[in-house]
Amino acid sequence: MRKYVVALGAVALVAGMVSGAEAADKIKACFVYTGPHNDGGWSQQHDMARLEVEKHFAGKVETAYVENVPEGPDAERAIERFARSGCNVIFTTSFGFMDPTIKVAKKFPDVKFEHDAGYKTADNVSIYNMRWYEGRYVQGQIAAKMSKTGVAGYIVSFPIPEVVMGIDAFMLGAQSVNPDFKIKVVWVNTWFDPGKEADAAKALIDQGADIIVQHTDSPAAMQIAEERGLHAFGQSADMSKFGPKAHLASLVDNWTPYYIERVQAVLDGTWKSTDTWDGMKEGLVVLGPLTNMPDDVKALAEDSIAKIKAGELQVFKGPITKQDGSVGVADGAVADDKTLLGLNWYVKGIDDKLPQ
Amino acid sequence: MQQRPGDVMTMLEGILLTIVTAATPLLFAAIGELVAERSGVLNLGVEGMMAVGAVCGFAAASTTGQPILGVLAAIIAGMLAASLFGIVALFFVANQNATGVALTLFGLGLSGLIGDSFVGTPGIPIPKVNIPVLSDLPVVGRLIFGEDPFVYLAVALALATWWFLFKTRGGLIIRAVGDNAHSAHALGFSVLKTRFLAVLFGGACAGLGGAYLSLVYTPQWTQAMTAGRGWIALALVVFASWLPGRLVVGAVLFGAVSILQLHAQAIGIGIPSQFLSMLPYIVTVVALVVISRNRALLSVNTPACLGRPFVADS
């Protein structure tokens, strides 16, 4: 540890001498990942954006990351170590890092913190996330067009608003094409267990689903769809390699625009605590590549993406009826962000019972 | 293979097939641990050995393009990991529990390091067995005649282990060493050598179980993809009261509960999914309790020297 600090000091010194300017000209951006930096999904997408940051600011920004940090008290140590080691801005990239981030931020008022997927802010803590539901809606449209059985199988992790929002958006998209579309939902209660995700995909297919959607991290379900000659959607990263014939579209996380913007703000000294929830328009949520579908389906998907980007298409625009028949979103109204972030009901037409 | 829409027979066949494949990696890892424990060694490093087997199998298979080389690499890697445990726990007489847990942590970390450049690469599919006519029989066709080769290997391994342990002199020596190391030593058998070989066998089997995950079950590599299956295998050995036949039953039962809970959800019977996810573990615990009630039977099969280090007094 001490060696590390000394080395850092040397780096700062050399950098200072070379540029001949103040230390503020060169900053350090640090990233905390919950999985391995190359997990092929969630953490990898964050790490790709980190590398883009390094490239974009060529020489002006140094980055560092720590991977496999368990959510909970251990995270606090990892974040604090970064704060002590001279990081100017620290990105903590998992929901479970929320409280540890807030705690450490209190101790280091001069360090900027950016927490992904949470809801607690402070003077030096910003939060940011993506409007994945925009992509889910388009996936639903594609699924309804492509499915022969009219049933999609949906593999999900935990019943949190983020996940429920995705299921609802997918169903709304599917219903916009085929009002009788059905989805079967399986909760695997984990974000990452390739074996279990594969089992879930097999179970859903054996029960008649011919399109697989997932809100878990591994490409296992895609491989099962490929093996069975069916179709599937990828999650977090482009998973087309795992299902050359099965892959329809991956919901890709592109954090680069946000990270560049935030690091620039730190460099400029204009960084302020913000609450960002961006989607397709800002280039964060990317649905692509669109593969293995006829031209008319592709055209429909591209049209919807364009409309969402232009703000013409609102996913959660009323009338939306809840599963129990009551009004979810009134006719003509659009659900506000607060409603979405606390979403705990299914739209009408979903057969599953939402775990509470 | 084009999926036919879900008629009942197809669904039943699908369920049975999935149960068998879910049970296979557990069976591999558990059969190896069973032999190690029969010789009196408790190796808690199964999860780590599986992870090392999974990554080495995947790496070798995708580098050479030969799945069979992947399988061999996984077996060797599992044995190497096991020999590490064997040397430390047997010859240096370190605490077996601590060494085993250390092996698990070490294996998980090492596998991440080895597999670094293989993440995000799809594996090579291994074809399933296909016998004309027989494999096409309704329901049982693919179940009995159309599995992947590993499934048959796992069943054969369980049978061979039973035969070896209870019908051969070698098996008798292993059991003697596990039940009373000092008597076996007095009779002139090498306790440490026997145990070391048993531990190596355990490593080879765990490596195979890992390779099954990364080559067949989900042909891909990601760190921690074993996701706790090594620990389940450890529980299954106790569940089976150290008998290979019961181990097969236990693995299939565990597989069945974990697959059926997914089907129950997909049908939408409205039982909370958290409860369903717990079911395989609840069933294991309940079965353990039921088995433990028959003390006489349990004491007959439990290796009396399990987990106790052996130092020859000379």
Side-chain angles (χ1 to χ4, degrees), chain B residues 30-42 161-162 165-166 171-180 194-195 198 237 240-244 297-307:
Chain B
I31 207 84
E33 179 66 13
L34 185 141
V35 172
E37 290 191 14
R38 274 286 183 181
S39 81
V41 185
L42 182 64
T161 303
W162 167 81
L165 277 179
F166 297 100
L172 187 65
I173 296 172
I174 289 186
R175 288 188 288 133
V177 164
D179 275 332
N180 196 330
T194 310
R195 287 187 170 177
V237 176
S241 47
W242 295 272
L243 295 170
L297 187 70
L298 197 65
S299 63
V300 168
N301 287 308
T302 311
C305 285
L306 183 61

Side-chain angles (χ1 to χ4, degrees), chain A residues 36-40 44 68 149 159 184-189 192-196 198-200 202-208 218-220 223 227-230 241-242 352-353 355, chain B residues 1-3 5-6 10-11 14-15 18 21-22 115-117 119-123 128 217-220 222-225 227 229 259 261-267 270 273-274 277:
Chain A
H37 73 282
N38 57 358
D39 62 359
Q44 181 167 316
N68 284 323
T149 58
K184 286 182 179 289
V185 182
V186 166
W187 299 88
V188 289
N189 290 304
F192 181 82
D193 180 341
K196 208 166 175 188
D199 291 343
K202 289 178 195 164
L204 287 162
I205 291 169
D206 287 336
Q207 292 202 13
S218 92
Q223 289 183 313
E227 194 187 302
R228 304 274 187 113
L230 301 171
K241 265 193 296 186
F242 288 91
D352 184 50
K353 189 171 172 292
Chain B
M1 173 185 25
Q2 189 62 44
Q3 186 70 24
T10 322
M11 195 165 117
I15 292 176
T18 320
T21 44
D116 198 57
S117 56
V119 177
T121 346
K128 298 208 161 101
Y217 209 77
T218 51
Q220 54 170 292
T222 343
Q223 198 177 353
M225 70 179 295
R229 285 179 181 75
I259 297 302
Q261 66 100 351
L262 297 171
H263 276 276
Q265 284 194 49
I267 291 172
S273 70
Q274 293 92 335
S277 291

Side-chain angles (χ1 to χ4, degrees), chain A residues 215-267:
Chain A
H215 204 142
T216 48
D217 289 341
S218 92
M222 179 66 75
Q223 289 183 313
I224 299 300
E226 178 81 9
E227 194 187 302
R228 304 274 187 113
L230 301 171
H231 289 298
F233 293 101
Q235 164 87 2
S236 288
D238 176 2
M239 291 183 176
S240 53
K241 265 193 296 186
F242 288 91
K245 293 198 193 92
H247 177 270
L248 289 170
S250 289
L251 193 56
V252 180
D253 311 344
N254 177 26
W255 301 102
T256 309
Y258 181 77
Y259 284 170
I260 289 181
E261 182 195 320
R262 300 306 286 172
V263 171
Q264 185 70 54
V266 177
L267 270 171

Side-chain angles (χ1 to χ4, degrees), chain B residues 197-239:
Chain B
L197 289 175
V199 166
L200 282 190
F201 179 74
C205 291
L208 255 177
Y212 186 71
L213 290 175
S214 68
L215 293 177
V216 184
Y217 209 77
T218 51
Q220 54 170 292
W221 162 255
T222 343
Q223 198 177 353
M225 70 179 295
T226 44
R229 285 179 181 75
W231 297 107
I232 303 291
L234 273 162
L236 279 176
V237 176
V238 185
F239 176 101

Side-chain angles (χ1 to χ4, degrees), chain A residues 227, chain B residues 61 66-68 71 123-129 148-150 211 215-216 219:
Chain A
E227 194 187 302
Chain B
Q66 299 291 333
I68 188 75
V71 174
I124 327 155
I126 293 179
K128 298 208 161 101
V129 171
D148 56 75
F150 284 83
L215 293 177
V216 184

